[in-house]
Amino acid sequence: MVTFVPTRPGRLADVPSFDRAIGGAESNVACALAALGHSTRWVSRVGADGFGDHLLARIADHGVDVRAVRRDPDRPTGVYFRTGADRATGAHEVAYYRAGSAASALSVTNVDMAAVRACRVLHLSGITAALSPECRELLWRLTAPRTGGPLISFDVNFRPALWPERGEAGVLLELARRADIVFVGTDEAEDAWGVTGGPDAIRKALPEPAVLVVKAGESGATAFAHGPLAGTDAGRGAGTHTGADAGTHTDADAGTDAGTDAVTDPKPPTRGLSEGRAAADAVARAVFEPAPRVHVVSSIGAGDAFAAGFLSATLRGLPVRQRLRYGHLAAAAALTAPTDLAAPPGRADADRLVTLDAPAWGRLRLAPGWTQAVRAPEEANPT
């Protein structure tokens, strides 16, 4: 969607002008992964209008392949307006104008099927599932069990306004159970599914994904991993085969599936995961990693950035703890910027930061502009 960000604080009723930007969960992840050095592709639909032109140009400017995005001559590009206040506060307002948009009409029949399948990781969002029955069917098909194909990454992204009927959000739980890598917040799990009790309780509700990342806001995140995706610091004797060279069971009915918002590295998978879906008794131990302290400007887009950082480290075969740290650093870049998208730290700088010892990691203080700071790792623009 096209995002309109206020030029000054205040209510939407009072803000006199807005700056135009881009936003959207899956395209945010694609842009951040591109900035981290990966080949990415965004597959979606936009209107045949000026806003659609703007989205395609800006997302392409971030290094994302947009050639598989289709234009809808009958439906507009979605837009939204937001205030500058943090989403977690009562002062925050968002006004969406995406009902009937081109993206809401995504279906298994109108997107580029070949573009979706030619990837190592396909990233999907629960927001897309909420936009229409056709979108929901699309995600259901994409996450159906299959031998081979890309790893399926699913960010629950629960938005209460999109699921007004009680119990509807159970669809997100079913989609998550069919994915390989899942991102969910403790608050989302409680609000969407009534699951309380922290990461362990959420893992019990979601034993199937090879990797489950449970985010707990500013305190940090916990990863559960089993099988070849577990890396070197989680799992029971697991190997280190990751998204860098592994495919797994994903969408069904080859030749008929299509996808939306694909985040891809176009080299097809060369090795399948022989273990399949692990049962609940095969769940590995949890790995918790605290988040660094951050001077927050806006929380919008932080979850997407976290997913991008974690996926980047997964594609590179890094240990689970470093994947979590990569997620935290990418999220910190978004948290210290006013718009949905922010440039993550350079790979060399991030690689130094994720290998800090625990005390040095705990001393990090990240303020606006920290990604441009050229300092020793333990002095990353402290506040």
Side-chain angles (χ1 to χ4, degrees), residues 134-190:
E134 292 79 11
C135 286
R136 196 171 307 176
E137 172 62 19
L138 174 61
L139 264 66
W140 192 253
R141 293 283 293 277
L142 287 170
T143 57
R146 140 190 322 274
T147 300
L151 291 169
I152 302 297
S153 168
F154 182 70
D155 193 335
V156 171
N157 264 325
F158 176 64
R159 299 290 183 267
L162 294 176
W163 302 95
E165 298 297 325
R166 184 176 180 84
E168 262 193 327
V171 170
L172 299 177
L173 183 61
E174 294 307 312
L175 287 169
R177 285 173 171 159
R178 295 152 67 97
D180 302 297
I181 303 172
V182 173
F183 302 93
V184 64
T186 53
D187 54 343
E188 293 178 304
E190 180 175 359

Side-chain angles (χ1 to χ4, degrees), residues 14-109:
D14 301 327
V15 174
S17 60
F18 297 80
D19 289 328
R20 185 176 61 176
I22 60 175
E26 299 90 339
S27 57
N28 284 348
V29 174
C31 290
L33 272 169
L36 287 166
H38 300 277
S39 298
T40 63
R41 178 185 297 120
W42 183 51
V43 182
S44 190
R45 291 174 69 85
V46 299
D49 51 28
F51 286 149
D53 294 341
H54 174 69
L55 275 180
L56 292 180
R58 287 293 310 280
I59 293 173
D61 285 345
H62 281 81
V64 178
D65 182 349
V66 297
R67 290 175 293 179
V69 178
R70 294 181 175 175
R71 309 299 293 268
D72 191 323
D74 301 315
R75 297 177 179 85
T77 302
V79 302
Y80 81 98
F81 296 77
R82 67 173 176 85
T83 57
D86 186 84
R87 177 178 280 158
T89 72
H92 183 69
E93 299 174 74
V94 179
Y96 289 103
Y97 298 92
R98 62 182 169 193
S101 67
S104 71
L106 284 161
S107 74
V108 295
T109 63

Side-chain angles (χ1 to χ4, degrees), residues 167-351:
E168 262 193 327
V171 170
L172 299 177
L173 183 61
E174 294 307 312
L175 287 169
R177 285 173 171 159
R178 295 152 67 97
D180 302 297
I181 303 172
V182 173
F183 302 93
V184 64
T186 53
D187 54 343
E188 293 178 304
E190 180 175 359
D191 294 343
W193 310 321
V195 177
T196 59
D200 289 341
I202 296 171
R203 184 52 161 173
K204 288 180 181 178
L206 275 171
E208 298 88 354
V211 176
L212 172 67
V213 179
V214 180
K215 299 175 291 182
E218 63 183 17
S219 66
T222 301
F224 299 86
H226 59 67
L229 288 181
T232 60
D233 58 4
R236 300 175 180 176
T240 58
H241 305 306
T242 69
D245 62 356
T248 188
H249 308 296
T250 55
D251 17 334
D253 301 323
T256 61
D257 290 344
T260 172
D261 295 312
V263 172
T264 72
D265 203 316
K267 178 183 177 182
T270 59
R271 182 180 303 160
L273 301 184
S274 59
E275 287 82 357
R277 294 289 197 270
D281 60 358
V283 173
R285 66 181 176 84
V287 175
F288 172 78
E289 188 62 26
R293 296 187 184 181
V294 178
H295 178 85
V296 176
V297 174
S298 172
S299 66
I300 307 298
D304 304 328
F306 182 97
F310 189 93
L311 291 174
S312 174
T314 298
L315 284 165
R316 296 173 60 201
L318 299 184
V320 172
R321 190 172 303 281
Q322 291 185 21
R323 297 182 214 174
L324 288 169
R325 287 188 173 187
Y326 247 97
H328 287 321
L329 292 175
L335 288 167
T336 52
T339 58
D340 291 27
L341 278 172
R347 180 178 286 189
D349 290 335
D351 282 349

